[in-house]
Structure formats: structure tokens, C-alpha cells
Amino acid sequence: MKINDIIDRIKLPFRKDKELFCALHDIMGFYPHDISHYKVALTHKSSGQLNDKGKPLNNERLEFLGDAMLDAVVGHIVFERFTNKREGFLTNTRSKLVSRDSLGKLAQEMGLTELIQSRGEQRSHNSYMAGNAFEALVGAIYLDQGYNAVRRFMEKRILKQMVNIDKVAYKEVNFKSKLLEWTQKNRVHMEYCMLKQEKDDKGSPIFGFQVILEGVEGGKGQGFSKKEAQQLASQNTLERLRREPQFIDAIFAAKSERTKMEEEPTMAAPDLEAEKTDFIVENAPSPSEKQEASTATNRQLATTQTEKSGKDTIDEFDLSDITHNPVELSREEIIAAAEAAAFAEQSPEPKA
């Protein structure tokens, strides 16, 4: 059956719908049943469109559904493709195939981005719009024709014609390095916290790690080696950084508190000229008297109760006189106390 006969049969009312119908056939490799799902999938929120009830019309809900379907379908395909691989390998392969960057590139190659309804300036500033539209398209396919249609689309149109799944699977992506690069660029403190280290039923070691960013708990990862566990934890953290704005807000709020504490203002440097003139007194003491005066001054500042009680020695471990608001003495009082103490120590003790 020719495409014109199909268009006439489904009775598309508008020319734009007919053009979209043909474009979707070229992209997906099959004809839509209910084109309304696909129109929603290609509508970005920046377009400002409203539905029949006056509520915003956009592809965010279909994006959510498509994301879940991609995980299920691609996970199913990877599971059957690599029969002898462990969970960590399968998880990494699926993640690379359904990453936002990969989906965005596919959307551009397929011509899907040309069909997105949005404001032009919004499109230029939103690097994830294409990938989001791809996910929404998958959600539309699922609603329109079901799970098997999504799987056929991914197997025959994507993985067979556009993506070398084996090359993607064995290509090493260093998520830990990418996360480290992000933390260094944004000056964010990062550490890996080991959650567990045990053995499974077969005696194989199992490690669990979690990423901590500025004290905020990030993604977790489990693997048969520390490297594998940290890679998965890094990957999950990167996904959260991309998808959860509140996660980023919490990290930078914690960073702000830390840097605020580190950048407390310090006391101003003393005025050296004032130090020279304020301590000039008549009848300057000798060097020995200066030493004794310094000792007496320290005693005076350390405790006022000792002077009041008339004790000759100070207990260095008695902290009872240290308060939050110590008694302030003027320079004249300090010098007078020092001279008095020096004179008292030089005077001979009275004979009994």
C-alpha cells in the first residue's frame, strides 16, 4: 500500500499532520496509528501550547514514560546479546546506550530535532532538548503500539542501522574521571566512602561505595572490585547531577557554608608605629627588669583573681578565670602593674 493511500485512509485533517506522518515514517521505519501521541512527544514546554482544557501541553510526561521504556527494552536487548557477562558490564552497556548525550546525537542524526516545536532561543540554550524528545518519542511509540513496537524500533532502526552495540559495550568510559573533572572545575570536595566489603555465595568479593560531595550523599555502586564499584557510584552520581537540580543545590549550599567558614576575616595587622610610641615610658627599665615586667604582665592578663588573693604563683592548669569576655586593661594600667610587680620582686623580704 502506498503512503498516499494510507494517509487518505486514516483521514488526516491538516496538511501539517500529513507532513508529520511522512516524517515520522522516515524516522521510525513504520507508520503511526494515533498521531496525537507523537505531536505531544515533539512539543517542548517552551512552545507555550495549551490543551483543550487550557492546561500546558508538553512532552515531559512522555519523556518520563520513554525513559522507563528505554531502560526496560535496551536492558532486555543487552541481556540477550551478552549472555556470559556480569551485571556490572550489562549495566554499563545499557547506561552508555541510553545516556542523554547518546540519545541527543541519535535524535540529530535521525532528523528528529527538526520536528520539535519550541522557541528558537530555548532550543539553542537547551543541550538536552533533543535527547528528551527521543525519550518522549519512545513513550509515544509505546502508547501507540506497545512494548514490541518499541523493541523493534530500537533493534532494527537504532542498534542495527545507527549504533554498533558491540563497540559501545566494550568502550571504556571512565565515569570516575569525568566526575573528578567536574568536581575540580567547580571546586567541590569529593570522597568515596566504602559501604561494605564482603563475599557472595560463591566466595567472590563484593565491594560497595558511595560518592560524598561536600558532605552530601551521592550515588552508590556495587561491584566485584573497588574500581568497578567506584565507577558505578560515579556514574550514578553523574546521572543525579544531570537529572536532579535539588541535588546540585544541596551540594553548592554545603560548599557555600564550607567556604564561608574558611574565608572568615582576620584581625587587622597591628600599627607598628603605634606600638613603638605607646610603650615609651620615662625611666625605662633595664633588660632584666623588662623580663620581669613581661612575666608580671602575663600574670596580670591570665588571671585577675590571683592578684586579688595575693598569691605569688599561678597554677598554669587553672582555666576557671578564662571567660568569653575577659577584663580589658589599658596600656597604662598594664605598664603600671608591670612596674609594681617588678619593684615588689626586687624588694628584700622583711626579716622575721
Side-chain angles (χ1 to χ4, degrees), residues 273-315:
E273 295 299 324
E275 293 289 335
K276 291 178 181 179
T277 58
D278 289 349
F279 281 92
I280 297 177
V281 296
E282 296 180 0
N283 301 322
S286 62
S288 60
E289 291 174 337
K290 289 182 180 180
Q291 179 65 31
E292 293 170 352
S294 176
T295 303
T297 301
N298 291 334
R299 290 177 180 173
Q300 180 71 22
L301 292 175
T303 173
T304 58
Q305 292 183 358
T306 302
E307 292 181 357
K308 293 180 180 179
S309 62
K311 293 182 179 179
D312 293 330
T313 59
I314 298 177
D315 185 357

Side-chain angles (χ1 to χ4, degrees), residues 224-236:
F224 293 97
S225 67
K226 292 182 179 180
K227 179 181 178 181
E228 181 181 358
Q230 291 180 355
Q231 282 278 12
L232 288 175
S234 301
Q235 178 184 351
N236 293 332

Side-chain angles (χ1 to χ4, degrees), residues 29-296:
F30 55 88
Y31 299 112
H33 291 168
D34 186 351
I35 199 171
S36 64
H37 295 307
Y38 302 91
K39 292 173 69 175
V40 175
L42 297 171
T43 303
H44 189 260
K45 62 181 179 181
S46 66
S47 66
Q49 296 189 33
L50 302 176
N51 60 17
D52 296 338
K53 298 181 179 180
K55 295 183 178 180
L57 180 68
N58 57 67
N59 62 3
E60 290 182 345
R61 286 172 53 82
L62 280 177
E63 177 192 339
F64 165 80
L65 180 61
D67 179 53
M69 292 307 305
L70 278 172
D71 280 344
V73 170
V74 175
H76 192 178
I77 295 172
V78 170
F79 176 81
E80 293 185 345
R81 178 90 174 191
F82 304 99
T83 57
N84 297 322
K85 294 298 182 180
R86 291 179 172 177
E87 177 189 1
F89 177 89
L90 301 179
T91 300
N92 283 335
T93 302
R94 181 185 63 184
S95 298
K96 287 183 284 188
L97 288 171
V98 302
S99 70
R100 197 61 55 91
D101 291 338
S102 298
L103 299 182
K105 292 177 181 178
L106 287 172
Q108 292 178 354
E109 291 293 327
M110 299 167 67
L112 187 64
T113 54
E114 302 301 323
L115 303 178
I116 300 175
Q117 301 295 315
S118 67
R119 290 192 312 206
E121 64 272 15
Q122 184 69 25
R123 179 177 299 187
S124 62
H125 291 290
N126 192 337
S127 59
Y128 297 133
M129 185 182 293
N132 295 341
F134 188 97
E135 290 179 339
L137 175 67
V138 171
I141 295 174
Y142 174 71
L143 291 180
D144 185 35
Q145 301 189 30
Y147 177 89
N148 289 332
V150 175
R151 175 156 182 172
R152 286 195 303 271
F153 169 66
M154 291 302 299
E155 282 185 321
K156 295 182 179 181
R157 182 70 177 96
I158 303 301
L159 298 181
K160 186 176 181 179
Q161 299 181 16
M162 303 185 69
V163 176
N164 186 332
I165 187 173
D166 294 317
K167 184 176 180 180
V168 172
Y170 291 100
K171 180 181 178 181
E172 179 67 22
V173 177
N174 195 336
F175 296 105
K176 185 175 180 180
S177 177
K178 289 183 177 292
L179 181 59
L180 181 61
E181 180 182 353
W182 182 86
T183 56
Q184 291 178 344
K185 181 179 179 180
N186 292 279
R187 299 181 181 179
V188 170
H189 285 179
M190 179 186 70
E191 60 180 332
Y192 289 90
C193 177
M194 180 180 286
L195 301 179
K196 66 179 181 179
Q197 181 178 355
E198 55 188 28
K199 293 185 178 181
D200 61 10
D201 298 337
K202 298 180 180 180
S204 300
I206 297 178
F207 300 90
F209 278 88
Q210 182 175 34
V211 175
I212 306 295
L213 300 171
E214 293 288 355
V216 179
E217 294 183 352
K220 298 179 181 179
Q222 177 176 303
F224 293 97
S225 67
K226 292 182 179 180
K227 179 181 178 181
E228 181 181 358
Q230 291 180 355
Q231 282 278 12
L232 288 175
S234 301
Q235 178 184 351
N236 293 332
T237 302
L238 288 169
E239 290 294 331
R240 290 190 61 186
L241 288 171
R242 289 184 173 184
R243 296 175 180 267
E244 302 178 23
Q246 65 274 18
F247 179 50
I248 299 178
D249 292 342
I251 293 171
F252 281 96
K255 175 190 173 183
S256 178
E257 288 297 321
R258 172 180 61 80
T259 54
K260 181 180 178 181
M261 294 178 61
E262 293 177 351
E263 296 175 0
E264 288 291 338
T266 58
M267 293 181 61
D271 187 347
L272 298 181
E273 295 299 324
E275 293 289 335
K276 291 178 181 179
T277 58
D278 289 349
F279 281 92
I280 297 177
V281 296
E282 296 180 0
N283 301 322
S286 62
S288 60
E289 291 174 337
K290 289 182 180 180
Q291 179 65 31
E292 293 170 352
S294 176
T295 303

